[in-house]
Amino acid sequence: MTARLELDYDASLARPALLRLEGRLRDPGGLLQSIGAALVASTRLRFRDEAAPSGAPWKPSGRARRQGGRTLSDTGRLLRSIAARVRGDTVEVGTNVKYAAAHQFGAQTKATIIFPKRGKALKFKIGGVTIVRKSVNHPGSKIPARPFLGLSTGDRGTVDKLVGDWIRAAVP
């Protein structure tokens, strides 16, 4: 048995919408600016929530625990530095703060010898015992990764919606 299907259609009805879409695709700058703004806002919310794009909570920093503050939010410099930049047909979201990579990916600080800034010795307590030393060998510290950049599931949905709305504006 053989089946045959024939379709006739009038492409002239789709042509104006396709031309409008083609025009939009030549200049996606407005769309990319909107995507960038949405992703900057989402990234900044991660500082409030103290969570990675995956939703995993950040390990609280020692400073935040001691002072009752927020992790990655001591001065607010890192948070304020989050920005979007459109280049051609690409949008980038990030920061120019040098220490951001250590927080995003984690790091190990170098071992160092600590000397007193004032006075002749360092004085500190360990387990209730007072210790006095002219210098201390510090082995370095591990900075755990606290990712703040990246796309969450919600971010992907937001980008999909922005792109869909942008296309629908050209092809109603």
Side-chain angles (χ1 to χ4, degrees), residues 4-35:
R4 183 181 167 136
L5 175 64
E6 234 177 88
L7 294 174
D8 275 333
Y9 66 95
D10 184 358
S12 67
L13 298 175
R15 185 168 176 76
L18 291 173
L19 289 173
R20 283 192 304 274
L21 180 58
E22 180 184 35
R24 288 202 121 201
L25 290 172
R26 286 192 185 125
D27 183 19
L31 170 63
L32 297 176
Q33 291 287 349
S34 296
I35 291 171

PDB file of all heavy atoms in Angstrom, residues 4-35:
ATOM      1  N   ARG A   4       0.306   8.920  -0.148  1.00  0.00           N
ATOM      2  CA  ARG A   4       0.909  10.143  -0.676  1.00  0.00           C
ATOM      3  C   ARG A   4       0.219  11.332  -0.023  1.00  0.00           C
ATOM      4  O   ARG A   4      -1.005  11.367   0.091  1.00  0.00           O
ATOM      5  CB  ARG A   4       0.735  10.180  -2.187  1.00  0.00           C
ATOM      6  CG  ARG A   4       1.376  11.362  -2.806  1.00  0.00           C
ATOM      7  CD  ARG A   4       1.143  11.327  -4.301  1.00  0.00           C
ATOM      8  NE  ARG A   4       1.499  12.614  -4.825  1.00  0.00           N
ATOM      9  CZ  ARG A   4       2.198  12.812  -5.897  1.00  0.00           C
ATOM     10  NH1 ARG A   4       2.600  11.778  -6.605  1.00  0.00           N
ATOM     11  NH2 ARG A   4       2.486  14.012  -6.307  1.00  0.00           N
ATOM     12  N   LEU A   5       1.055  12.286   0.406  1.00  0.00           N
ATOM     13  CA  LEU A   5       0.525  13.495   1.038  1.00  0.00           C
ATOM     14  C   LEU A   5       1.060  14.689   0.279  1.00  0.00           C
ATOM     15  O   LEU A   5       2.254  14.795   0.018  1.00  0.00           O
ATOM     16  CB  LEU A   5       0.979  13.566   2.505  1.00  0.00           C
ATOM     17  CG  LEU A   5       0.606  14.824   3.270  1.00  0.00           C
ATOM     18  CD1 LEU A   5      -0.903  14.947   3.411  1.00  0.00           C
ATOM     19  CD2 LEU A   5       1.263  14.806   4.636  1.00  0.00           C
ATOM     20  N   GLU A   6       0.188  15.570  -0.086  1.00  0.00           N
ATOM     21  CA  GLU A   6       0.575  16.781  -0.794  1.00  0.00           C
ATOM     22  C   GLU A   6       0.101  17.979   0.014  1.00  0.00           C
ATOM     23  O   GLU A   6      -1.027  17.998   0.485  1.00  0.00           O
ATOM     24  CB  GLU A   6      -0.099  16.814  -2.176  1.00  0.00           C
ATOM     25  CG  GLU A   6       0.887  17.008  -3.290  1.00  0.00           C
ATOM     26  CD  GLU A   6       0.202  16.954  -4.643  1.00  0.00           C
ATOM     27  OE1 GLU A   6      -0.249  18.019  -5.084  1.00  0.00           O
ATOM     28  OE2 GLU A   6       0.114  15.848  -5.188  1.00  0.00           O
ATOM     29  N   LEU A   7       1.003  18.947   0.183  1.00  0.00           N
ATOM     30  CA  LEU A   7       0.653  20.160   0.919  1.00  0.00           C
ATOM     31  C   LEU A   7       0.837  21.358   0.004  1.00  0.00           C
ATOM     32  O   LEU A   7       1.850  21.491  -0.669  1.00  0.00           O
ATOM     33  CB  LEU A   7       1.539  20.342   2.145  1.00  0.00           C
ATOM     34  CG  LEU A   7       1.415  19.320   3.259  1.00  0.00           C
ATOM     35  CD1 LEU A   7       2.471  19.565   4.327  1.00  0.00           C
ATOM     36  CD2 LEU A   7       0.036  19.405   3.884  1.00  0.00           C
ATOM     37  N   ASP A   8      -0.105  22.228   0.018  1.00  0.00           N
ATOM     38  CA  ASP A   8       0.019  23.511  -0.659  1.00  0.00           C
ATOM     39  C   ASP A   8      -0.079  24.578   0.407  1.00  0.00           C
ATOM     40  O   ASP A   8      -0.949  24.516   1.283  1.00  0.00           O
ATOM     41  CB  ASP A   8      -1.131  23.718  -1.665  1.00  0.00           C
ATOM     42  CG  ASP A   8      -0.844  23.085  -3.000  1.00  0.00           C
ATOM     43  OD1 ASP A   8       0.347  22.957  -3.336  1.00  0.00           O
ATOM     44  OD2 ASP A   8      -1.813  22.740  -3.705  1.00  0.00           O
ATOM     45  N   TYR A   9       0.836  25.535   0.337  1.00  0.00           N
ATOM     46  CA  TYR A   9       0.770  26.634   1.303  1.00  0.00           C
ATOM     47  C   TYR A   9       1.207  27.907   0.618  1.00  0.00           C
ATOM     48  O   TYR A   9       1.902  27.897  -0.388  1.00  0.00           O
ATOM     49  CB  TYR A   9       1.617  26.349   2.544  1.00  0.00           C
ATOM     50  CG  TYR A   9       3.104  26.284   2.260  1.00  0.00           C
ATOM     51  CD1 TYR A   9       3.910  27.407   2.438  1.00  0.00           C
ATOM     52  CD2 TYR A   9       3.688  25.106   1.822  1.00  0.00           C
ATOM     53  CE1 TYR A   9       5.267  27.344   2.170  1.00  0.00           C
ATOM     54  CE2 TYR A   9       5.037  25.048   1.546  1.00  0.00           C
ATOM     55  CZ  TYR A   9       5.829  26.165   1.721  1.00  0.00           C
ATOM     56  OH  TYR A   9       7.161  26.115   1.455  1.00  0.00           O
ATOM     57  N   ASP A  10       0.784  28.991   1.213  1.00  0.00           N
ATOM     58  CA  ASP A  10       1.101  30.308   0.662  1.00  0.00           C
ATOM     59  C   ASP A  10       2.158  30.946   1.561  1.00  0.00           C
ATOM     60  O   ASP A  10       1.840  31.472   2.628  1.00  0.00           O
ATOM     61  CB  ASP A  10      -0.165  31.157   0.596  1.00  0.00           C
ATOM     62  CG  ASP A  10       0.074  32.513  -0.056  1.00  0.00           C
ATOM     63  OD1 ASP A  10       1.231  32.820  -0.426  1.00  0.00           O
ATOM     64  OD2 ASP A  10      -0.907  33.265  -0.199  1.00  0.00           O
ATOM     65  N   ALA A  11       3.422  30.883   1.145  1.00  0.00           N
ATOM     66  CA  ALA A  11       4.534  31.420   1.943  1.00  0.00           C
ATOM     67  C   ALA A  11       4.495  32.939   2.036  1.00  0.00           C
ATOM     68  O   ALA A  11       5.137  33.527   2.904  1.00  0.00           O
ATOM     69  CB  ALA A  11       5.861  30.969   1.356  1.00  0.00           C
ATOM     70  N   SER A  12       3.741  33.581   1.182  1.00  0.00           N
ATOM     71  CA  SER A  12       3.696  35.051   1.208  1.00  0.00           C
ATOM     72  C   SER A  12       3.120  35.568   2.524  1.00  0.00           C
ATOM     73  O   SER A  12       3.421  36.682   2.941  1.00  0.00           O
ATOM     74  CB  SER A  12       2.895  35.583   0.020  1.00  0.00           C
ATOM     75  OG  SER A  12       1.531  35.224   0.146  1.00  0.00           O
ATOM     76  N   LEU A  13       2.320  34.766   3.203  1.00  0.00           N
ATOM     77  CA  LEU A  13       1.750  35.195   4.488  1.00  0.00           C
ATOM     78  C   LEU A  13       2.818  35.213   5.586  1.00  0.00           C
ATOM     79  O   LEU A  13       2.754  36.016   6.509  1.00  0.00           O
ATOM     80  CB  LEU A  13       0.591  34.272   4.891  1.00  0.00           C
ATOM     81  CG  LEU A  13      -0.599  34.247   3.940  1.00  0.00           C
ATOM     82  CD1 LEU A  13      -1.613  33.209   4.403  1.00  0.00           C
ATOM     83  CD2 LEU A  13      -1.235  35.621   3.844  1.00  0.00           C
ATOM     84  N   ALA A  14       3.800  34.327   5.489  1.00  0.00           N
ATOM     85  CA  ALA A  14       4.847  34.244   6.522  1.00  0.00           C
ATOM     86  C   ALA A  14       5.993  35.213   6.246  1.00  0.00           C
ATOM     87  O   ALA A  14       6.732  35.579   7.162  1.00  0.00           O
ATOM     88  CB  ALA A  14       5.382  32.823   6.590  1.00  0.00           C
ATOM     89  N   ARG A  15       6.122  35.646   5.018  1.00  0.00           N
ATOM     90  CA  ARG A  15       7.272  36.468   4.624  1.00  0.00           C
ATOM     91  C   ARG A  15       7.436  37.736   5.457  1.00  0.00           C
ATOM     92  O   ARG A  15       8.543  38.004   5.949  1.00  0.00           O
ATOM     93  CB  ARG A  15       7.187  36.786   3.137  1.00  0.00           C
ATOM     94  CG  ARG A  15       8.385  37.531   2.622  1.00  0.00           C
ATOM     95  CD  ARG A  15       8.379  37.555   1.088  1.00  0.00           C
ATOM     96  NE  ARG A  15       9.445  38.336   0.551  1.00  0.00           N
ATOM     97  CZ  ARG A  15      10.713  37.968   0.486  1.00  0.00           C
ATOM     98  NH1 ARG A  15      11.059  36.777   0.950  1.00  0.00           N
ATOM     99  NH2 ARG A  15      11.632  38.749  -0.020  1.00  0.00           N
ATOM    100  N   PRO A  16       6.408  38.547   5.690  1.00  0.00           N
ATOM    101  CA  PRO A  16       6.610  39.774   6.486  1.00  0.00           C
ATOM    102  C   PRO A  16       7.104  39.479   7.912  1.00  0.00           C
ATOM    103  O   PRO A  16       7.987  40.167   8.427  1.00  0.00           O
ATOM    104  CB  PRO A  16       5.227  40.437   6.506  1.00  0.00           C
ATOM    105  CG  PRO A  16       4.508  39.873   5.332  1.00  0.00           C
ATOM    106  CD  PRO A  16       5.049  38.481   5.148  1.00  0.00           C
ATOM    107  N   ALA A  17       6.551  38.444   8.532  1.00  0.00           N
ATOM    108  CA  ALA A  17       6.976  38.093   9.894  1.00  0.00           C
ATOM    109  C   ALA A  17       8.424  37.611   9.897  1.00  0.00           C
ATOM    110  O   ALA A  17       9.209  37.970  10.779  1.00  0.00           O
ATOM    111  CB  ALA A  17       6.054  37.024  10.472  1.00  0.00           C
ATOM    112  N   LEU A  18       8.796  36.829   8.895  1.00  0.00           N
ATOM    113  CA  LEU A  18      10.170  36.334   8.811  1.00  0.00           C
ATOM    114  C   LEU A  18      11.152  37.482   8.556  1.00  0.00           C
ATOM    115  O   LEU A  18      12.264  37.489   9.092  1.00  0.00           O
ATOM    116  CB  LEU A  18      10.295  35.259   7.737  1.00  0.00           C
ATOM    117  CG  LEU A  18       9.591  33.937   8.059  1.00  0.00           C
ATOM    118  CD1 LEU A  18       9.630  32.993   6.864  1.00  0.00           C
ATOM    119  CD2 LEU A  18      10.200  33.283   9.287  1.00  0.00           C
ATOM    120  N   LEU A  19      10.749  38.455   7.783  1.00  0.00           N
ATOM    121  CA  LEU A  19      11.605  39.622   7.549  1.00  0.00           C
ATOM    122  C   LEU A  19      11.789  40.436   8.831  1.00  0.00           C
ATOM    123  O   LEU A  19      12.882  40.920   9.114  1.00  0.00           O
ATOM    124  CB  LEU A  19      11.038  40.493   6.422  1.00  0.00           C
ATOM    125  CG  LEU A  19      11.156  39.892   5.023  1.00  0.00           C
ATOM    126  CD1 LEU A  19      10.415  40.754   3.993  1.00  0.00           C
ATOM    127  CD2 LEU A  19      12.612  39.721   4.619  1.00  0.00           C
ATOM    128  N   ARG A  20      10.705  40.571   9.615  1.00  0.00           N
ATOM    129  CA  ARG A  20      10.826  41.280  10.908  1.00  0.00           C
ATOM    130  C   ARG A  20      11.766  40.523  11.846  1.00  0.00           C
ATOM    131  O   ARG A  20      12.614  41.116  12.514  1.00  0.00           O
ATOM    132  CB  ARG A  20       9.450  41.447  11.564  1.00  0.00           C
ATOM    133  CG  ARG A  20       8.601  42.538  10.956  1.00  0.00           C
ATOM    134  CD  ARG A  20       7.380  42.870  11.814  1.00  0.00           C
ATOM    135  NE  ARG A  20       6.532  41.733  12.109  1.00  0.00           N
ATOM    136  CZ  ARG A  20       5.556  41.281  11.317  1.00  0.00           C
ATOM    137  NH1 ARG A  20       5.318  41.868  10.169  1.00  0.00           N
ATOM    138  NH2 ARG A  20       4.833  40.241  11.661  1.00  0.00           N
ATOM    139  N   LEU A  21      11.627  39.211  11.872  1.00  0.00           N
ATOM    140  CA  LEU A  21      12.501  38.391  12.717  1.00  0.00           C
ATOM    141  C   LEU A  21      13.949  38.503  12.249  1.00  0.00           C
ATOM    142  O   LEU A  21      14.867  38.652  13.073  1.00  0.00           O
ATOM    143  CB  LEU A  21      12.042  36.938  12.715  1.00  0.00           C
ATOM    144  CG  LEU A  21      12.869  35.974  13.566  1.00  0.00           C
ATOM    145  CD1 LEU A  21      12.893  36.413  15.021  1.00  0.00           C
ATOM    146  CD2 LEU A  21      12.309  34.562  13.436  1.00  0.00           C
ATOM    147  N   GLU A  22      14.167  38.462  10.956  1.00  0.00           N
ATOM    148  CA  GLU A  22      15.518  38.600  10.417  1.00  0.00           C
ATOM    149  C   GLU A  22      16.133  39.935  10.839  1.00  0.00           C
ATOM    150  O   GLU A  22      17.295  40.010  11.236  1.00  0.00           O
ATOM    151  CB  GLU A  22      15.498  38.491   8.894  1.00  0.00           C
ATOM    152  CG  GLU A  22      16.869  38.615   8.265  1.00  0.00           C
ATOM    153  CD  GLU A  22      16.818  38.593   6.745  1.00  0.00           C
ATOM    154  OE1 GLU A  22      15.852  39.117   6.157  1.00  0.00           O
ATOM    155  OE2 GLU A  22      17.766  38.036   6.169  1.00  0.00           O
ATOM    156  N   GLY A  23      15.341  40.989  10.802  1.00  0.00           N
ATOM    157  CA  GLY A  23      15.823  42.307  11.240  1.00  0.00           C
ATOM    158  C   GLY A  23      16.205  42.317  12.714  1.00  0.00           C
ATOM    159  O   GLY A  23      17.237  42.882  13.096  1.00  0.00           O
ATOM    160  N   ARG A  24      15.418  41.677  13.525  1.00  0.00           N
ATOM    161  CA  ARG A  24      15.728  41.600  14.965  1.00  0.00           C
ATOM    162  C   ARG A  24      16.995  40.806  15.213  1.00  0.00           C
ATOM    163  O   ARG A  24      17.787  41.144  16.085  1.00  0.00           O
ATOM    164  CB  ARG A  24      14.579  40.948  15.735  1.00  0.00           C
ATOM    165  CG  ARG A  24      13.383  41.857  15.838  1.00  0.00           C
ATOM    166  CD  ARG A  24      12.507  41.456  16.985  1.00  0.00           C
ATOM    167  NE  ARG A  24      12.470  42.652  17.829  1.00  0.00           N
ATOM    168  CZ  ARG A  24      12.172  42.666  19.094  1.00  0.00           C
ATOM    169  NH1 ARG A  24      11.887  41.565  19.709  1.00  0.00           N
ATOM    170  NH2 ARG A  24      12.155  43.784  19.770  1.00  0.00           N
ATOM    171  N   LEU A  25      17.175  39.729  14.460  1.00  0.00           N
ATOM    172  CA  LEU A  25      18.348  38.878  14.662  1.00  0.00           C
ATOM    173  C   LEU A  25      19.645  39.597  14.295  1.00  0.00           C
ATOM    174  O   LEU A  25      20.701  39.246  14.804  1.00  0.00           O
ATOM    175  CB  LEU A  25      18.215  37.592  13.843  1.00  0.00           C
ATOM    176  CG  LEU A  25      17.148  36.619  14.343  1.00  0.00           C
ATOM    177  CD1 LEU A  25      16.955  35.479  13.351  1.00  0.00           C
ATOM    178  CD2 LEU A  25      17.492  36.085  15.722  1.00  0.00           C
ATOM    179  N   ARG A  26      19.566  40.600  13.462  1.00  0.00           N
ATOM    180  CA  ARG A  26      20.760  41.370  13.100  1.00  0.00           C
ATOM    181  C   ARG A  26      21.229  42.258  14.250  1.00  0.00           C
ATOM    182  O   ARG A  26      22.384  42.650  14.285  1.00  0.00           O
ATOM    183  CB  ARG A  26      20.483  42.236  11.873  1.00  0.00           C
ATOM    184  CG  ARG A  26      20.423  41.435  10.613  1.00  0.00           C
ATOM    185  CD  ARG A  26      20.452  42.339   9.384  1.00  0.00           C
ATOM    186  NE  ARG A  26      20.278  41.532   8.207  1.00  0.00           N
ATOM    187  CZ  ARG A  26      19.344  41.736   7.303  1.00  0.00           C
ATOM    188  NH1 ARG A  26      18.522  42.761   7.410  1.00  0.00           N
ATOM    189  NH2 ARG A  26      19.241  40.950   6.264  1.00  0.00           N
ATOM    190  N   ASP A  27      20.322  42.600  15.154  1.00  0.00           N
ATOM    191  CA  ASP A  27      20.685  43.477  16.272  1.00  0.00           C
ATOM    192  C   ASP A  27      20.052  42.966  17.567  1.00  0.00           C
ATOM    193  O   ASP A  27      19.016  43.481  18.006  1.00  0.00           O
ATOM    194  CB  ASP A  27      20.244  44.915  15.997  1.00  0.00           C
ATOM    195  CG  ASP A  27      20.667  45.870  17.105  1.00  0.00           C
ATOM    196  OD1 ASP A  27      21.589  45.515  17.872  1.00  0.00           O
ATOM    197  OD2 ASP A  27      20.066  46.956  17.209  1.00  0.00           O
ATOM    198  N   PRO A  28      20.672  41.958  18.190  1.00  0.00           N
ATOM    199  CA  PRO A  28      20.097  41.392  19.412  1.00  0.00           C
ATOM    200  C   PRO A  28      20.502  42.160  20.686  1.00  0.00           C
ATOM    201  O   PRO A  28      20.278  41.688  21.795  1.00  0.00           O
ATOM    202  CB  PRO A  28      20.680  39.978  19.436  1.00  0.00           C
ATOM    203  CG  PRO A  28      22.031  40.141  18.808  1.00  0.00           C
ATOM    204  CD  PRO A  28      21.833  41.198  17.735  1.00  0.00           C
ATOM    205  N   GLY A  29      21.094  43.333  20.523  1.00  0.00           N
ATOM    206  CA  GLY A  29      21.615  44.074  21.671  1.00  0.00           C
ATOM    207  C   GLY A  29      20.606  44.302  22.781  1.00  0.00           C
ATOM    208  O   GLY A  29      20.919  44.133  23.958  1.00  0.00           O
ATOM    209  N   GLY A  30      19.396  44.687  22.435  1.00  0.00           N
ATOM    210  CA  GLY A  30      18.371  44.924  23.459  1.00  0.00           C
ATOM    211  C   GLY A  30      18.042  43.662  24.238  1.00  0.00           C
ATOM    212  O   GLY A  30      17.893  43.693  25.469  1.00  0.00           O
ATOM    213  N   LEU A  31      17.924  42.551  23.526  1.00  0.00           N
ATOM    214  CA  LEU A  31      17.673  41.266  24.181  1.00  0.00           C
ATOM    215  C   LEU A  31      18.814  40.918  25.120  1.00  0.00           C
ATOM    216  O   LEU A  31      18.601  40.525  26.274  1.00  0.00           O
ATOM    217  CB  LEU A  31      17.486  40.166  23.137  1.00  0.00           C
ATOM    218  CG  LEU A  31      17.448  38.734  23.678  1.00  0.00           C
ATOM    219  CD1 LEU A  31      16.246  38.539  24.604  1.00  0.00           C
ATOM    220  CD2 LEU A  31      17.446  37.734  22.533  1.00  0.00           C
ATOM    221  N   LEU A  32      20.040  41.067  24.633  1.00  0.00           N
ATOM    222  CA  LEU A  32      21.203  40.708  25.449  1.00  0.00           C
ATOM    223  C   LEU A  32      21.317  41.616  26.680  1.00  0.00           C
ATOM    224  O   LEU A  32      21.700  41.151  27.758  1.00  0.00           O
ATOM    225  CB  LEU A  32      22.474  40.766  24.603  1.00  0.00           C
ATOM    226  CG  LEU A  32      22.514  39.764  23.444  1.00  0.00           C
ATOM    227  CD1 LEU A  32      23.761  39.966  22.599  1.00  0.00           C
ATOM    228  CD2 LEU A  32      22.426  38.333  23.956  1.00  0.00           C
ATOM    229  N   GLN A  33      20.979  42.890  26.529  1.00  0.00           N
ATOM    230  CA  GLN A  33      20.982  43.795  27.693  1.00  0.00           C
ATOM    231  C   GLN A  33      19.970  43.307  28.737  1.00  0.00           C
ATOM    232  O   GLN A  33      20.255  43.308  29.934  1.00  0.00           O
ATOM    233  CB  GLN A  33      20.635  45.236  27.265  1.00  0.00           C
ATOM    234  CG  GLN A  33      21.698  45.912  26.441  1.00  0.00           C
ATOM    235  CD  GLN A  33      22.921  46.304  27.252  1.00  0.00           C
ATOM    236  OE1 GLN A  33      22.936  46.272  28.469  1.00  0.00           O
ATOM    237  NE2 GLN A  33      23.986  46.671  26.536  1.00  0.00           N
ATOM    238  N   SER A  34      18.793  42.894  28.275  1.00  0.00           N
ATOM    239  CA  SER A  34      17.757  42.387  29.194  1.00  0.00           C
ATOM    240  C   SER A  34      18.216  41.114  29.894  1.00  0.00           C
ATOM    241  O   SER A  34      18.004  40.944  31.103  1.00  0.00           O
ATOM    242  CB  SER A  34      16.458  42.109  28.431  1.00  0.00           C
ATOM    243  OG  SER A  34      15.937  43.289  27.906  1.00  0.00           O
ATOM    244  N   ILE A  35      18.828  40.214  29.140  1.00  0.00           N
ATOM    245  CA  ILE A  35      19.342  38.972  29.732  1.00  0.00           C
ATOM    246  C   ILE A  35      20.413  39.307  30.766  1.00  0.00           C
ATOM    247  O   ILE A  35      20.413  38.774  31.877  1.00  0.00           O
ATOM    248  CB  ILE A  35      19.885  38.028  28.645  1.00  0.00           C
ATOM    249  CG1 ILE A  35      18.734  37.481  27.796  1.00  0.00           C
ATOM    250  CG2 ILE A  35      20.696  36.889  29.266  1.00  0.00           C
ATOM    251  CD1 ILE A  35      19.176  36.715  26.556  1.00  0.00           C
TER     252      ILE A  35
END
